Amino acid sequence: MRPITLEEMSGVKLMKRTDTKYVTDIATLVRLLSLASHGYYVQEINNSRLAHYNTLYWDFPTDHHYYLIHAQKRKPRTKVRTRRYVDSGIAFLEIKRKDNHGKTRKKRVSVPIEGTIMEDSRYGSEFLKEQLGLTFDELIPALSNFFTRITLVNYQKTERVTIDLQLRIENHETGINADLSNAVIIELKRDGRTFSPLLSMLRELRIKPSGFSKYVIGTAVTNPNLRKNLLRKRLRLLAKKTSHADSYMGAFLQTETNIQ
């Protein structure tokens, strides 16, 4: 695929953006990339087309408020996370909000790329207080994930596609880890309702839209004590798409009596 630089990517401004997520597996992704190879650029940074991310999510220790409002698809809703862009050597504490109209806004402040949880809270404490009126004493480091991202842009530069794979989860509360490396999360971001070449390719491969939050799904498969009745369909889809379907579905079914 033809490369596109990070500087060239900055010119892809989607002013009235619509976002749609899809979940598939590695084998189907290979077929999708083959179909897209003559109509899309792939982002390249420092001669690499694979970008590595590490994200830490913060939540309330008693009611897991951020997890629950996302699982219930309530609006407005908020996420507090530290995201490390490993290859670029930068990191941010981010406040991500979605309003009642579905519009997403994100604000962030720099933190050390090699920082610890304690450093994240120290560097971001003033920012957190300013944005949400909270202190880090009120939150806990709930979950971390690690994944690899491929970013595509169509030749018309009217849409951007992120493809996340090799997803691993570490739950800081339960100590449970999950390997979701065969799952692929695709997010199609286009300018309003403009024509999308990728959309027809997704339909051809029978990849259907499916909401997927790495924090919510990651928490659901690593914390058996939380309610997850509204996530049944997404968890079953995930089980089909991962190479560990039996273990994840087993864990899910064991908790179904607790989620009614």
Side-chain angles (χ1 to χ4, degrees), residues 227-241:
R227 294 173 59 85
K228 46 185 75 73
N229 53 310
L230 295 176
L231 302 173
R232 283 193 180 105
K233 289 184 179 180
R234 276 174 278 176
L235 289 172
R236 288 193 176 104
L237 175 63
L238 177 64
K240 292 179 182 178
K241 300 300 181 184

Side-chain angles (χ1 to χ4, degrees), residues 6 43 45-46 51-53 84-91 113:
L6 194 59
Q43 179 177 281
I45 302 175
N46 298 327
H52 301 88
Y53 290 68
R84 290 186 159 80
Y85 300 81
V86 178
D87 305 285
S88 302
I90 56 176
I113 182 63

Side-chain angles (χ1 to χ4, degrees), residues 8-259:
E8 291 171 325
M9 282 282 295
S10 64
V12 184
K13 298 186 183 298
L14 308 179
M15 303 306 294
K16 297 181 179 179
R17 196 175 85 181
T18 59
D19 300 348
T20 311
K21 287 186 179 179
Y22 303 81
V23 179
T24 187
D25 55 27
I26 295 292
T28 308
L29 172 63
V30 172
R31 296 170 61 195
L32 178 66
L33 290 174
S34 178
L35 291 173
S37 61
H38 299 295
Y40 285 79
Y41 303 103
V42 58
Q43 179 177 281
E44 186 173 284
I45 302 175
N46 298 327
N47 297 316
S48 177
R49 299 181 175 196
L50 299 174
H52 301 88
Y53 290 68
N54 172 4
T55 311
L56 169 67
Y57 295 90
W58 302 79
D59 210 332
F60 292 90
T62 52
D63 61 0
H64 298 85
H65 175 69
Y66 293 146
Y67 165 78
L68 288 174
I69 62 173
H70 280 75
Q72 296 166 0
K73 298 183 179 180
R74 288 161 52 191
K75 299 173 187 174
R77 58 180 184 248
T78 302
K79 280 181 185 171
V80 179
R81 69 189 188 188
T82 305
R83 172 156 285 181
R84 290 186 159 80
Y85 300 81
V86 178
D87 305 285
S88 302
I90 56 176
F92 300 95
L93 175 70
E94 300 180 342
I95 309 294
K96 188 176 180 181
R97 297 181 176 95
K98 179 168 284 190
D99 64 22
N100 289 322
H101 305 287
K103 187 171 183 178
T104 300
R105 287 184 170 86
K106 184 167 65 177
K107 294 189 177 182
R108 62 189 190 179
V109 64
S110 294
V111 296
I113 182 63
E114 299 293 345
T116 63
I117 290 173
M118 290 295 292
E119 285 181 309
D120 287 351
S121 60
R122 179 164 63 90
Y123 278 82
S125 59
E126 185 176 334
F127 175 73
L128 185 69
K129 185 73 174 178
E130 174 188 293
Q131 293 295 319
L132 298 177
L134 296 173
T135 69
F136 278 100
D137 290 337
E138 299 172 81
L139 302 175
I140 58 169
L143 188 94
S144 287
N145 66 37
F146 307 83
F147 63 93
T148 301
R149 172 168 288 181
I150 301 167
T151 301
L152 307 180
V153 177
N154 67 348
Y155 285 175
Q156 295 73 33
K157 297 185 178 180
T158 57
E159 68 178 353
R160 185 167 63 247
V161 184
T162 58
I163 302 170
D164 296 341
L165 59 156
Q166 299 176 336
L167 176 62
R168 295 183 295 111
I169 307 293
E170 294 181 4
N171 193 305
H172 298 287
E173 291 184 88
T174 65
I176 298 173
N177 299 335
D179 178 2
L180 307 181
S181 56
N182 196 43
V184 175
I185 303 98
I186 301 168
E187 186 165 11
L188 175 59
K189 307 171 184 181
R190 55 181 173 145
D191 198 353
R193 302 185 67 85
T194 55
F195 172 72
S196 165
L198 195 81
L199 198 55
S200 61
M201 300 173 198
L202 292 166
R203 289 171 179 160
E204 179 180 340
L205 296 174
R206 298 182 180 180
I207 305 173
K208 299 179 180 179
S210 174
F212 193 105
S213 162
K214 295 184 193 68
Y215 176 52
V216 171
I217 297 299
T219 299
V221 300
T222 57
N223 192 332
N225 303 314
L226 296 179
R227 294 173 59 85
K228 46 185 75 73
N229 53 310
L230 295 176
L231 302 173
R232 283 193 180 105
K233 289 184 179 180
R234 276 174 278 176
L235 289 172
R236 288 193 176 104
L237 175 63
L238 177 64
K240 292 179 182 178
K241 300 300 181 184
T242 65
S243 56
H244 305 281
D246 291 341
S247 60
Y248 290 127
M249 277 308 298
F252 172 59
L253 292 172
Q254 287 174 14
T255 61
E256 284 218 274
T257 55
N258 300 323
I259 62 177

